[in-house]
Amino acid sequence: MSKAYDVMAASCPSRTVLHRIGARWTIFVITALADQGGPMRFTELKRYIQGITPKVLTETLRALETDGLVLRVDHGDNPPHVDYALTELGQSLRAPLAAVREWAETHVPDILESQQRAAGSAAGAAGTHH
Amino acid sequence: MSKAYDVMAASCPSRTVLHRIGARWTIFVITALADQGGPMRFTELKRYIQGITPKVLTETLRALETDGLVLRVDHGDNPPHVDYALTELGQSLRAPLAAVREWAETHVPDILESQQRAAGSAAGAAGTHH
DNA sequence: CGGTATCCGGAGAGATACTG
DNA sequence: CAGTATCTCTCCGGATACCG
């Protein structure tokens, strides 16, 4: 039997899924919650993911909640108390994203070096055109 | 010893790397070249990755070349003949991205279902505001 | 075949300030 | 604490057409 979904097909819904996963801040939120190993509060996430703005964090969390990857629990106290945690589905995304994160952190030097070389040869070739 | 790079740090270069990997079409090109197992030509890639436009494919390939993930070989014939292949660094990205692709294709139904439920409860709650 | 050259729109990212 | 409310702006991605 053939696969039900194929990302190479133009109108396959898996492309939408991929788009969500690839969204700028998704990997950070999932990774943060995974790193922590338990529920985190809004401010805690914001502190952990350095440089993220509250607006973007909210948007990302809402999207992940909609997709069933993150569970939002409002304890309704005053002052407010809201917890975010990975759902089971979210947990299943831990390993793949951890691998990507690991790859990124590991290969920074390689890529920087390649970029240097590319910039260098571009500059060197700059006079040769036209 | 501590890690040299940490994606959670605001100005860590690994964030740029992550941004590149997360770029809309990166995973498709890497995956296509991995699926194929050998070099592919421009038109071949375009046919394989359904729906990609030539402009975007070119941009993606150039970026991947700059980062040292893809090697471009121009055979200089007429008609033109250009091959693209994964470098060793590109190969090392196969496994992580394959995992993500696999996850996406596998969990489409779960996510679609969650989205349905979210849309449904949003509609149900629509009258309750204000 | 293997790309370029344009033009364009809109989503998403960011900064900043404010609120229950 | 946990978000909203705006506003701005970039740039990414897509469509279309053309070139050596």
Side-chain angles (χ1 to χ4, degrees):
Chain A
M1 66 179 259
S2 70
K3 277 184 302 185
Y5 298 102
D6 179 3
V7 293
M8 293 305 173
S11 60
C12 182
S14 60
R15 288 211 170 168
T16 313
V17 173
L18 227 41
H19 191 205
R20 295 307 198 102
I21 299 177
R24 192 80 153 188
W25 295 99
T26 296
I27 190 171
F28 293 95
V29 171
I30 301 286
T31 302
L33 290 171
D35 282 358
Q36 200 67 7
M40 293 177 80
R41 304 177 64 167
F42 188 88
T43 309
E44 213 173 341
L45 279 165
K46 196 159 91 60
R47 213 177 320 113
Y48 193 84
I49 306 169
Q50 290 170 33
I52 194 171
T53 62
K55 179 199 158 202
V56 169
L57 179 54
T58 301
E59 287 169 356
T60 305
L61 286 168
R62 293 279 184 273
L64 292 176
E65 200 193 350
T66 299
D67 289 352
L69 298 173
V70 161
L71 186 67
R72 179 181 186 274
V73 179
D74 188 342
H75 297 271
D77 306 343
N78 192 309
H81 185 152
V82 180
D83 277 327
Y84 294 94
L86 292 177
T87 62
E88 215 171 302
L89 188 58
Q91 294 283 353
S92 72
L93 191 51
R94 279 184 61 165
L97 291 194
V100 171
R101 180 232 188 132
E102 176 74 19
W103 190 94
E105 289 179 350
T106 304
H107 294 89
V108 167
D110 300 325
I111 293 191
L112 289 181
E113 193 189 334
S114 279
Q115 288 176 350
Q116 301 296 324
R117 233 180 309 112
S121 55
T128 70
H129 293 306
H130 262 266
Chain B
M1 64 177 258
S2 70
K3 276 184 301 182
Y5 298 102
D6 180 2
V7 294
M8 294 304 174
S11 60
C12 181
S14 61
R15 289 211 169 168
T16 314
V17 173
L18 227 41
H19 192 202
R20 294 307 198 102
I21 299 178
R24 193 81 154 187
W25 294 99
T26 296
I27 189 171
F28 293 96
V29 171
I30 302 286
T31 302
L33 291 171
D35 282 357
Q36 200 68 7
M40 293 178 79
R41 305 177 62 169
F42 187 89
T43 310
E44 215 173 340
L45 279 165
K46 196 159 91 59
R47 214 179 317 114
Y48 193 85
I49 306 169
Q50 289 170 33
I52 194 171
T53 61
K55 179 199 160 200
V56 169
L57 179 53
T58 301
E59 287 170 354
T60 306
L61 286 169
R62 293 279 184 274
L64 292 176
E65 200 193 349
T66 299
D67 290 352
L69 298 173
V70 161
L71 186 67
R72 178 181 187 274
V73 179
D74 187 342
H75 297 270
D77 305 343
N78 192 309
H81 185 153
V82 180
D83 277 327
Y84 295 93
L86 292 177
T87 62
E88 216 173 301
L89 187 59
Q91 295 283 353
S92 72
L93 190 51
R94 279 184 62 166
L97 291 193
V100 171
R101 181 237 186 126
E102 177 74 18
W103 190 95
E105 289 179 348
T106 304
H107 293 90
V108 167
D110 300 326
I111 292 190
L112 289 180
E113 194 190 336
S114 279
Q115 289 176 350
Q116 301 295 325
R117 232 179 311 112
S121 55
T128 71
H129 293 307
H130 256 272

